[in-house]
Amino acid sequence: MSALVIVLTLPLMTALTVLLLPARARVPVVLASSALIVLAAGALVLAVWHGGPVTLAVGGWAPPLGIALRADGLAAALIMMSALVMGAVALAAQFELTPDRVGVRMGFGFWPLMLLLWGALNAVYLSRDLFNLYVGIELLSLAAVALVALSGSAQALAAALRYMIFALAGSLLYLAGVVLAYGAHGTLDIGLLAVRVPAHTDALALALMTAGLLAKTALFPFHVWLPPAHAGAPAPASALLSALVPKASFLILIRLWFEAMPDLASGAALLVLAALGAIAVIWGGVLALVQKRLKLIIAYSTVAQLGYLFFIFPLAGGDGSAQPWAAGAWTGAMFQALSHGLAKAAMFLTAGIYIAAIGSDRLGDLRGLARSLPMTGFAFALAAITLMGLPPSGGFTAKYLLMTSAFAAGQWPWALVLAGGGVLAAAYLYRPIAALFAQGARTPARPIPRVWQAVPLVLAALSILLGLLSAIPFDLLQIGRPAPAQEGL
Amino acid sequence: MSLTVFALTGAALVGLGVYGLLALPHLLRRIMCFNLIGSGLFLFFGAAGARGVAVDAIPQALIITGIVVALSASALAVGLVVALARRTGHAALPDEDRTP
């Protein structure tokens, strides 16, 4: 209970505190606070693990008047993953975003924005009320847009505005759906909506909310804002934008389709969502193949990796939710969300190290850097193993679960896309790895502190560990799962 | 009857806003359009929430919250547009070459 309150309030309180602190005290306070939040996230996971979902009615008001917060296994797992990524990003940013390296504005602005983003993420993970989710996702978008614009260059400002147009349009679509749902049922609580009397506006409400959330999740064809946003943002901000921000809107989609309105999940609608995901896997992979900058390769890889998440809809949603393979598909998609978060954050942090070391992230300039920065090269290779879905990584567990479910359900096209996406990932990640491990460095690297180099290595190792210890997260994700969990596969 | 008028006005505002978003490249106008759509939705919300005889307080509370959120978003957007206009001299998004 108290852990749940801490992960919600401490990031927001620290964000406000940082604004008042002198420059010297800023980083230590953020790091201390981050450590506390990571501990609280761990305590929350333990509480859910031992005692089932943790629920809190804010101010003692029960729904429909009040707002319910609930940490089920999925929320706890996402909170833990986000806490680890945020902690790692804070550790890397204290080296990378010093005022003398990137200017006073970025050196100051990054910290409160990072914490606001963290608070918004946790609020979205825990909320059980559609309007509360709207406020959370809006706070998340505003913090993310500001992070994109942080450098203040014309290119970054244009990218931030483009992102903002997508994010605002998405918010308004979502809000329109919320208004329709309230007009029909007089409640916005997910638990109460699940037992509603169906109304004829429900399908439109769900469609509007879904369209808005797809724009925020950067699913094809709404992905066009994502790569330019990464190009201008500092690497720690990129790590947050790719690893965490899309996961929040994806979680709301899960809450809507599996918990609030599962009766509306028709086969055709689920097929459309998964087909968009399949196109994203291929299209993102192809575009990642032709990029010349490391950050853009990683950004387009995000477009592709987010596509896998949407295979959850036909494999575990609608009529399939009672089938024996549903638990495997559902957990596979969540494994993908978790391992992609860890591995993608690790990759962007390694890109930040290379940019700090040689001042560029062009593939040609990265030649031979594995020799002078071996830890970083190793971290990049480990993260790549997860993204390609090779054993024993978390990405392998995710793709294995999704693939076996696809075959069990007789929906083999998704398995083909999974295999093709893996091949594409291997191809587009081979280019930076080949450059890094090539003979003969082209550019001399500035020395990088060992602690900074260790941060992405730890994150990448965690994404591998997720696959090695997959039984524990598998069971955690089943706690409080909406459909009857079956160990069919 | 009067509720229908409110709801229809809200719908009309949303329509105006969507037209503006699609037709007007100037970023300040786009921000205005987002606010139009938001206001239209809130108006519709107020009308849709007023069901039965008793006044439902929840839509009002949510609308106030929504207005605060919309104001914050608009403030950030205007700040970004001003900064972009100072850098480039244009308050419209550069049509960048989409080919990778």
Side-chain angles (χ1 to χ4, degrees):
Chain A
M1 183 69 79
S2 56
L4 189 147
V5 175
I6 289 174
V7 297
L8 264 182
T9 52
L10 192 58
L12 301 174
M13 276 165 33
T14 316
L16 294 177
T17 313
V18 164
L19 295 175
L20 310 171
L21 289 175
R24 265 195 328 257
R26 206 173 290 143
V27 172
V29 166
V30 173
L31 290 180
S33 163
S34 300
L36 270 177
I37 304 169
V38 172
L39 288 175
L44 187 63
V45 168
L46 283 176
V48 172
W49 179 259
H50 289 298
V54 179
T55 312
L56 174 69
V58 179
W61 297 86
L65 261 186
I67 291 170
L69 299 170
R70 180 166 173 265
D72 52 4
L74 170 59
L78 282 167
I79 287 171
M80 191 72 232
M81 185 272 284
S82 302
L84 291 169
V85 168
M86 281 278 178
V89 164
L91 279 173
Q94 65 164 331
F95 297 106
E96 195 165 345
L97 301 180
T98 51
D100 53 355
R101 195 196 284 266
V102 290
V104 173
R105 178 178 40 190
M106 202 188 283
F108 165 70
F110 175 79
W111 301 104
L113 288 172
M114 178 197 108
L115 288 155
L116 282 179
L117 192 86
W118 198 347
L121 274 172
N122 288 344
V124 169
Y125 294 150
L126 293 167
S127 293
R128 309 286 303 164
D129 175 278
L130 293 187
F131 195 83
N132 210 28
L133 285 168
Y134 166 73
V135 175
I137 199 101
E138 200 70 338
L139 177 58
L140 185 76
S141 293
L142 292 183
V145 166
L147 279 172
V148 173
L150 208 52
S151 70
S153 68
Q155 178 210 19
L157 288 168
L161 274 163
R162 192 177 300 278
Y163 177 18
M164 188 151 196
I165 286 170
F166 273 88
L168 279 178
S171 296
L172 287 173
L173 283 166
Y174 176 79
L175 186 63
V178 170
V179 168
L180 278 180
Y182 189 86
H185 305 293
T187 181
L188 292 173
D189 181 76
I190 286 177
L192 292 172
L193 280 173
V195 294
R196 74 198 186 285
V197 181
H200 58 277
T201 53
D202 283 353
L204 179 61
L206 182 61
L208 285 167
M209 288 191 273
T210 303
L213 292 167
L214 291 185
K216 286 185 183 277
T217 315
L219 182 70
F220 181 92
F222 307 112
H223 65 283
V224 290
W225 57 265
L226 189 134
H230 284 73
S238 281
L240 302 179
L241 284 172
S242 251
L244 303 180
V245 173
K247 304 290 165 29
S249 39
F250 175 71
L251 181 73
I252 303 180
L253 281 171
I254 296 295
R255 299 270 187 241
L256 288 174
W257 285 84
F258 287 79
E259 291 179 46
M261 304 180 173
D263 48 303
L264 289 175
S266 67
L270 298 170
L271 190 69
V272 167
L273 286 169
L276 288 175
I279 299 171
V281 169
I282 304 300
W283 183 239
V286 169
L287 283 177
L289 265 178
V290 296
Q291 300 303 319
K292 292 184 177 61
R293 286 182 51 195
L294 180 62
K295 276 185 82 174
L296 284 175
I297 292 177
I298 308 175
Y300 277 107
S301 157
T302 298
V303 173
Q305 295 279 336
L306 289 172
Y308 293 126
L309 296 175
F310 287 82
F311 294 165
I312 192 175
F313 289 103
L315 294 175
D319 302 337
S321 59
Q323 302 287 358
W325 57 79
W330 198 87
T331 317
M334 295 312 159
F335 257 90
Q336 170 65 16
L338 296 173
S339 56
H340 171 253
L342 294 167
K344 195 48 68 86
M347 251 188 200
F348 269 117
L349 292 179
T350 58
I353 290 176
Y354 291 134
I355 291 171
I358 59 170
S360 151
D361 65 339
R362 295 200 162 278
L363 282 189
D365 300 337
L366 295 176
R367 276 186 68 84
L369 273 184
R371 188 169 298 256
S372 44
L373 297 166
M375 271 165 86
T376 312
F378 187 48
F380 190 92
L382 279 185
I385 286 175
T386 290
L387 293 185
M388 293 176 200
L390 300 175
S393 65
F396 167 75
T397 311
K399 293 202 176 85
Y400 173 79
L401 285 168
L402 283 169
M403 211 177 251
T404 46
S405 311
F407 281 125
Q411 302 183 23
W412 52 268
W414 310 131
L416 278 186
V417 176
L418 281 161
V423 172
L424 272 170
Y428 64 68
L429 290 170
Y430 169 78
R431 294 166 63 234
I433 288 175
L436 287 170
F437 288 85
Q439 291 295 326
R442 189 181 294 186
T443 15
R446 288 183 211 99
I448 300 287
R450 282 200 172 279
V451 179
W452 183 4
Q453 287 199 58
V455 170
L457 187 58
V458 169
L459 271 186
L462 282 171
S463 74
I464 303 279
L465 206 63
L466 194 65
L468 286 173
L469 306 173
S470 52
I472 298 166
F474 190 100
D475 291 338
L476 176 68
L477 287 167
Q478 302 303 323
I479 296 173
R481 188 177 148 238
Q486 296 190 23
E487 298 286 337
L489 290 168
Chain B
M1 171 60 215
S2 64
L3 279 185
T4 316
V5 174
F6 281 114
L8 284 175
T9 313
L13 283 173
V14 171
L16 274 174
V18 171
Y19 166 77
L21 271 190
L22 295 173
L24 305 168
H26 195 288
L27 287 167
L28 272 180
R29 289 181 195 267
R30 282 195 174 176
I31 296 171
M32 294 288 292
C33 290
F34 275 121
N35 279 289
L36 265 184
I37 298 175
S39 305
L41 283 174
F42 294 143
L43 199 55
F44 188 87
F45 199 2
R51 304 173 311 156
V53 214
V55 177
D56 190 351
I58 290 181
Q60 300 181 17
L62 297 185
I63 289 168
I64 291 173
T65 315
I67 289 172
V68 172
V69 170
L71 176 76
S72 324
S74 303
L76 176 62
V78 170
L80 288 174
V81 171
V82 169
L84 182 74
R86 282 198 185 133
R87 292 274 186 295
T88 63
H90 300 285
L93 280 179
D95 276 326
E96 48 195 45
D97 191 11
R98 285 221 180 284
T99 49

